[in-house]
Amino acid sequence: MEEMVSIIVPVYRAAPYIAETIAMVMKQTYRNWELLLVDDYSPDNSAEIIQNIIEKQSDRALSYSCGAGRICLIRKEKNEGAAKARNTGIERAKGRYIAFLDADDIWHPEKLERELSFMKEKQAAFAFTAYEFGDEKAQGTGKIVKVPERLTYRKALSRTVIFTSTVIFDTAKIPKELIRMPAVASEDTATWWKVLRNGYTAYGLNETLAIYRRPAKSLSSNKFTALKRIWNLYRREEKLSLPVSVFCFCLWAFRATLRRI
């Protein structure tokens, strides 16, 4: 029998995308999943869109109340950011596997099936895949980020090749507490490093199974902000020495530039 995958989506100002996100998950060739949509007190009508979609479904397995349903809307009482929204999803997840998905990103229909098969083949506890950059409409630009077959903590420090919407964890091998995200800038990268620092290896499936939507004015497009976030991770979160931080930072900047040209 297929093990369940809990797909966690933080929802904030996601109204333009969220219907497509739900439809995309429902088209996955791997069928044993639950979709946890965590409304982070979004000021738009994202939650109402989600509720309406669930109520219109004829499949009785869908549930707004998060009982035995496959699609669950979790509404937070205040905005706390993507990290805490994902952590809320982790706490509520019933599946053995936890997959992260951002509301504006795209999965290919075979994403879960291919990646889970890869994890079983490698006996991996932590996996990620290659991905393609997309424009504001999530149309692929042809710029594909390839991934290494294996990534250890030391190697991960000098490259941010792990894209959040491609990550899957096996909670039978990694405790949920370890994959909870800290409330810091670049919380996703901080989480990957934390897991790897604790002795796990990340396995990369070099197949393009996701599209990273990059609006022109996205946070990641602010280069100075990105540089500052990574530097703070080295010094404050990982507590690396100044020489090691400079070395890793220079390698990271070089690889990040190559990835975007």
Side-chain angles (χ1 to χ4, degrees):
M1 182 178 177
E2 293 181 337
E3 297 279 0
M4 180 185 285
V5 182
S6 296
I7 304 163
I8 298 173
V9 181
V11 177
Y12 189 78
R13 297 188 185 276
Y17 317 112
I18 199 64
E20 181 182 9
T21 304
I22 295 171
M24 178 181 64
V25 170
M26 293 181 70
K27 291 178 182 176
Q28 286 293 302
T29 57
Y30 189 91
R31 300 305 303 160
N32 191 9
W33 49 260
E34 64 172 356
L35 178 59
L36 306 177
L37 298 150
V38 185
D39 172 36
D40 193 25
Y41 205 69
S42 182
D44 64 7
N45 64 334
S46 297
E48 288 71 24
I49 293 172
I50 294 168
Q51 183 174 353
N52 288 338
I53 290 172
I54 293 173
E55 290 175 349
K56 289 178 181 178
Q57 297 297 323
S58 59
D59 184 351
R60 293 185 180 179
L62 302 183
S63 170
Y64 174 64
S65 63
C66 304
R70 298 187 68 201
I71 299 181
C72 174
L73 172 60
I74 303 169
R75 304 187 76 159
K76 296 175 66 70
E77 296 182 353
K78 62 179 178 178
N79 174 255
E80 295 183 303
K84 290 190 176 181
R86 293 192 187 103
N87 291 344
T88 297
I90 291 170
E91 291 166 5
R92 299 287 290 272
K94 299 189 291 290
R96 169 177 172 172
Y97 297 97
I98 288 180
F100 294 120
L101 172 61
D102 285 347
D104 55 348
D105 294 327
I106 301 296
W107 279 356
H108 293 194
E110 69 279 9
K111 190 267 185 188
L112 288 179
E113 182 177 11
R114 290 290 304 121
E115 190 168 5
L116 289 168
S117 176
F118 172 77
M119 291 183 76
K120 291 174 183 177
E121 174 190 336
K122 299 293 183 180
Q123 297 185 333
F126 176 4
F128 60 105
T129 79
Y131 61 94
E132 181 178 8
F133 284 117
D135 60 18
E136 293 187 6
K137 296 182 179 180
Q139 297 298 313
T141 63
K143 179 60 180 177
I144 293 173
V145 177
K146 298 181 179 180
V147 297
E149 183 178 345
R150 298 173 74 253
L151 198 60
T152 61
Y153 174 65
R154 180 167 295 186
K155 290 181 178 179
L157 287 173
S158 62
R159 66 196 74 188
T160 50
V161 70
I162 302 176
F163 172 39
T164 305
S165 290
T166 73
V167 167
I168 297 182
F169 288 113
D170 181 352
T171 62
K173 298 178 179 179
I174 298 180
K176 280 187 176 182
E177 184 59 32
L178 193 57
I179 64 177
R180 286 176 55 86
M181 293 192 171
V184 299
S186 292
E187 73 284 346
D188 46 2
T189 298
T191 303
W192 319 151
W193 289 355
K194 177 178 63 171
V195 171
L196 297 175
R197 185 181 352 107
N198 276 270
Y200 295 94
T201 297
Y203 286 81
L205 173 58
N206 199 28
E207 295 181 17
T208 307
L209 297 173
I211 296 177
Y212 174 22
R213 190 194 307 256
R214 297 180 71 208
K217 296 182 180 179
S218 67
L219 178 65
S220 60
S221 68
N222 187 324
K223 303 301 188 296
F224 178 77
T225 300
L227 294 171
K228 184 178 179 180
R229 292 200 309 264
I230 292 297
W231 179 256
N232 286 339
L233 287 183
Y234 289 139
R235 300 293 284 155
R236 297 177 184 176
E237 297 302 312
E238 299 307 308
K239 303 188 186 309
L240 302 179
S241 67
L242 182 60
V244 172
S245 296
V246 170
F247 176 76
C248 291
F249 184 80
C250 290
L251 279 178
W252 171 84
F254 174 72
R255 286 170 171 148
T257 300
L258 287 181
R259 194 167 63 244
R260 286 169 169 76
I261 62 175

